Amino acid sequence: MRKHTTLYLYELAWMLPSVALPVGMLAALAVTAFGAHIGLPGEAGRVDPAAVMQTAPFNQPGVVEVAPGRYEAHLVAGIWFFLPAEIRVPEGSEVTFVATSKDVIHGFLLRTANINAMLLPGQVTRVTARFDRVGTYPFLCHEYCGIAHHTMWGKVIVEPRS
Ligand code: CUA
């Protein structure tokens, strides 16, 4: 009888964490998603992949100031480039990257700003990050897109406010 009880407790000791762990993770997910607003880059519209370079805002790749301290970077990915490959903003800026691909699936990884997004032909990706510190922040394509995939990168240059 005593042996039976011991076994049961031993099993319970394993069962409780196996329930608590997924429940805890689900709670953490809810807190980060709804409390801290941390989420996956969303699909922000569609664009004809064959006419990307003729479609606004991608017909004018570059950075525009949309409000004081807030910028939009219109970014086109293609084999094997980012257009523009260099994005300049002043320190303390909030930058929303509005990006798409004009040919195959590319990636957009900017680790220092915690950005990890896919750029799909036909789909617009929007992702926002803050750049509070002066410096150069490289971004790169992290979806294999062909023979020169490894050359596909660019940088965000955060300049001091004068
Ligand atoms: Cu583009 Cu890899």
Side-chain angles (χ1 to χ4, degrees):
M1 187 65 201
R2 185 178 164 78
K3 194 179 177 186
H4 174 83
T5 313
T6 313
L7 258 179
Y8 175 71
L9 283 174
Y10 183 66
E11 281 175 343
L12 195 70
W14 280 102
M15 282 161 65
L16 280 179
S18 69
V19 172
L21 220 68
V23 168
M25 284 176 171
L26 207 65
L29 199 67
V31 167
T32 50
F34 301 110
H37 299 287
I38 295 170
L40 291 171
E43 185 191 329
R46 299 204 155 265
V47 59
D48 177 2
V52 166
M53 302 313 287
Q54 289 83 48
T55 310
F58 303 109
N59 54 352
Q60 285 179 310
V63 185
V64 289
E65 188 170 16
V66 289
R70 288 187 51 220
Y71 294 84
E72 247 181 42
H74 303 138
L75 197 64
V76 177
I79 45 175
W80 290 278
F81 60 85
F82 283 105
L83 198 66
E86 196 177 291
I87 291 165
R88 283 175 185 270
V89 290
E91 63 182 310
S93 300
E94 188 180 284
V95 182
T96 298
F97 298 89
V98 182
T100 191
S101 163
K102 67 186 289 288
D103 37 52
V104 300
I105 295 175
H106 296 283
F108 182 55
L109 180 72
L110 208 168
R111 279 178 57 199
T112 44
N114 202 21
I115 294 176
N116 180 340
M118 284 177 84
L119 306 178
L120 305 169
Q123 191 166 308
V124 180
T125 298
R126 265 183 102 90
V127 59
T128 300
R130 275 194 70 83
F131 294 89
D132 284 324
R133 292 172 67 178
V134 172
T136 300
Y137 302 96
F139 55 83
L140 51 86
C141 175
H142 64 312
E143 292 287 339
Y144 183 71
C145 55
I147 193 79
H149 157 71
H150 60 285
T151 66
M152 197 175 155
W153 69 287
K155 58 194 168 184
V156 176
I157 297 172
V158 182
E159 299 173 318
R161 260 179 209 284
S162 47

